Amino acid sequence: MGSPTRKPIQFTSRLTADAYAKGILDHDRVLLSRAITLVESRLPSDQLLSEELIQKILPHSGKSIRIGITGIPGVGKSTFIEAFGKHLTSIGKKLAVLAIDPSSQRTKGSILGDKTRMDELSRDDNAFIRPTSAANTLGGVAHKTREAILLCEAAGFDVIIVETVGVGQSEIAVRSMVDFFLLLLIGGAGDELQGIKKGIMEMADGVVITKADGDHKKQANQAKADYQHALHLFPVTESRWTPKVLVSSAVEKIGLKETWEMIEAYKAFTTTSGFFELQRANQNKNWFHSSIEERIKEEITKHKALAEKIKKAEIQIAQGVISPGAASREIVENFIQLLGKQ
Ligand code: GDP
């Protein structure tokens, strides 16, 4: 117990929302990084400041193309993003990468543990890389990626790449916040080995077969033909865009220009049809609804007794003693009663 005058410990000094906003609009990368740290913070005071900041920069956001990139570990995501990113900056684009840093999960005994990801790109003046520790993610996506996208846009980045580690749930989350969803695959590895579910394939606007060099070249081209065929069998997408399959080699710099041309063609196609704006509007609506759900859940679990009841119910649900529907009704009714007493 502290004295009434004791202040909570501040781990980092916070600026005002105006100061963050000004720095971001002036393209100050240090402030952009600090602002992303702020929005990722779970401290209630930071959350209020973060909301104020997002509100301020909102009119300056939205002007980028948002690209989600997924694929199993080892498919070549970071190597591809680095080579693709260098191509983008060479044609005058300003690129922000919201990356997942897997090093926290691959510690001792890992062959990739010491590898610095996207080293060259991180030294590029026109690129900004924000790694999020994989440990700090929910299903492979940083929990405040949407806010980080808006901040990067306000800081003048016109291409935003959101990387996901490809663990099932994360693809769905990332799909709900990007304009174009790119799936990376390896030729000759087989769908099952790559954990590719049909649903993930159906979400992709483009597929890139990686490592199309040396001995893998032939396999990559074969895989391209196979996936192209498979995609033809899928129902017409909501955007009416026909997903394309390309091959690429980060080593030989193959397929990078073509990947960008595919994304630009998609943007032109969906802008003309109106789908581009419609998708963003729907994504915002869904974001709003999931925020409401998240907030209510947070309020509920603030009550210790209810948090305990939820834990107990989880066990009973697992045992088949009680149904999830009935258990959730009871929790919400208890919550409403508690509110009435306040
Ligand atoms: P991630 O786990 O999906 O990010 O995969 P990485 O980018 O770390 O790549 C995994 C391995 O594949 C590394 O050893 C890379 O050097 C290798 N790799 C990535 N891209 C290519 C490529 O285009 N050609 C070849 N030959 N190897 C590649």
Side-chain angles (χ1 to χ4, degrees):
M1 296 287 267
S3 72
T5 54
R6 202 165 126 193
K7 284 190 182 147
I9 302 163
Q10 285 265 285
F11 294 100
T12 48
S13 58
R14 294 289 185 235
L15 305 172
T16 62
D18 274 327
Y20 282 115
K22 185 177 179 309
I24 288 167
L25 296 176
D26 284 346
H27 303 178
D28 181 330
R29 284 147 177 271
V30 175
L31 277 189
L32 172 62
S33 276
R34 286 181 61 184
I36 297 177
T37 305
L38 171 76
V39 300
E40 286 180 342
S41 164
R42 292 180 194 268
L43 288 176
S45 59
D46 282 348
Q47 283 173 10
L48 285 176
L49 184 58
S50 148
E51 279 160 25
E52 196 187 336
L53 169 60
I54 296 294
Q55 197 59 39
K56 281 189 193 300
I57 57 93
L58 202 59
H60 307 277
S61 68
K63 293 181 201 89
S64 78
I65 174 101
R66 304 165 182 169
I67 306 165
I69 297 189
T70 193
I72 54 159
V75 73
K77 285 183 299 301
S78 64
T79 318
F80 174 82
I81 293 171
E82 170 146 273
F84 181 55
K86 289 297 289 179
H87 170 70
L88 292 179
T89 59
S90 80
I91 58 168
K93 299 286 169 200
K94 291 189 77 197
L95 166 73
V97 182
L98 303 173
I100 304 293
D101 178 5
S103 54
S104 55
Q105 284 191 338
R106 297 179 191 169
T107 48
K108 284 172 227 140
S110 157
I111 40 162
L112 297 173
D114 297 325
K115 191 172 145 255
T116 311
R117 303 180 97 229
M118 303 174 213
D119 185 37
E120 211 186 312
L121 193 59
S122 64
R123 282 184 270 114
D124 190 322
D125 282 344
N126 286 316
F128 171 81
I129 301 180
R130 170 72 184 200
T132 294
S133 153
N136 190 25
T137 64
L138 265 181
V141 191
H143 77 289
K144 291 290 179 183
T145 302
R146 285 190 178 96
E147 284 85 345
I149 292 174
L150 299 180
L151 292 171
C152 290
E153 288 175 343
F157 292 97
D158 46 22
V159 182
I160 317 281
I161 289 181
V162 183
E163 182 196 14
T164 124
V165 286
V167 289
Q169 277 287 300
S170 63
E171 284 90 350
I172 296 164
V174 169
R175 186 69 202 86
S176 73
M177 54 183 88
V178 297
D179 306 310
F180 187 97
F181 190 60
L182 183 66
L183 174 64
L184 301 190
L185 296 172
I186 313 178
D191 292 0
E192 265 168 45
L193 189 67
Q194 301 194 58
I196 304 305
K197 308 224 165 57
K198 193 165 155 268
I200 306 288
M201 284 284 286
E202 280 182 6
M203 288 192 310
D205 300 301
V207 173
V208 168
I209 316 290
T210 56
K211 310 187 194 183
D213 47 58
D215 295 344
H216 293 288
K217 206 167 197 152
K218 212 173 140 211
Q219 276 179 339
N221 283 317
Q222 180 59 47
K224 177 184 168 174
D226 292 347
Y227 284 116
Q228 223 149 22
H229 180 69
L231 283 171
H232 272 301
L233 302 176
F234 286 169
V236 178
T237 56
E238 208 189 328
S239 63
R240 311 201 82 78
W241 162 260
T242 310
K244 301 208 172 0
V245 186
L246 301 172
V247 292
S248 138
S249 162
V251 176
E252 294 184 1
K253 312 275 181 277
I254 292 169
L256 307 172
K257 184 170 157 275
E258 290 76 6
T259 302
W260 178 241
E261 283 168 358
M262 165 173 69
I263 294 168
E264 282 206 303
Y266 169 88
K267 189 171 181 196
F269 178 83
T270 53
T271 302
T272 307
S273 71
F275 180 80
F276 193 86
E277 282 308 315
L278 179 74
Q279 178 169 251
R280 281 204 175 175
N282 282 337
Q283 288 175 342
N284 278 337
K285 199 165 83 183
N286 291 338
W287 180 11
F288 168 57
H289 282 282
S290 57
S291 296
I292 292 179
E293 283 162 24
E294 224 169 87
R295 262 175 211 193
I296 292 178
K297 214 169 149 194
E298 255 173 44
E299 288 300 320
I300 290 179
T301 46
K302 268 186 198 163
H303 295 276
K304 243 188 163 166
L306 285 183
E308 274 164 24
K309 264 198 172 163
I310 290 175
K311 276 212 179 106
K312 261 191 206 150
E314 280 174 2
I315 297 167
Q316 289 175 320
I317 288 165
Q319 291 168 340
V321 178
I322 179 170
S323 83
S328 62
R329 173 185 292 275
E330 198 186 322
I331 300 288
V332 173
E333 278 172 3
N334 283 184
F335 179 57
I336 294 168
Q337 278 166 11
L338 280 169
L339 284 183
K341 282 183 197 157
Q342 276 179 357

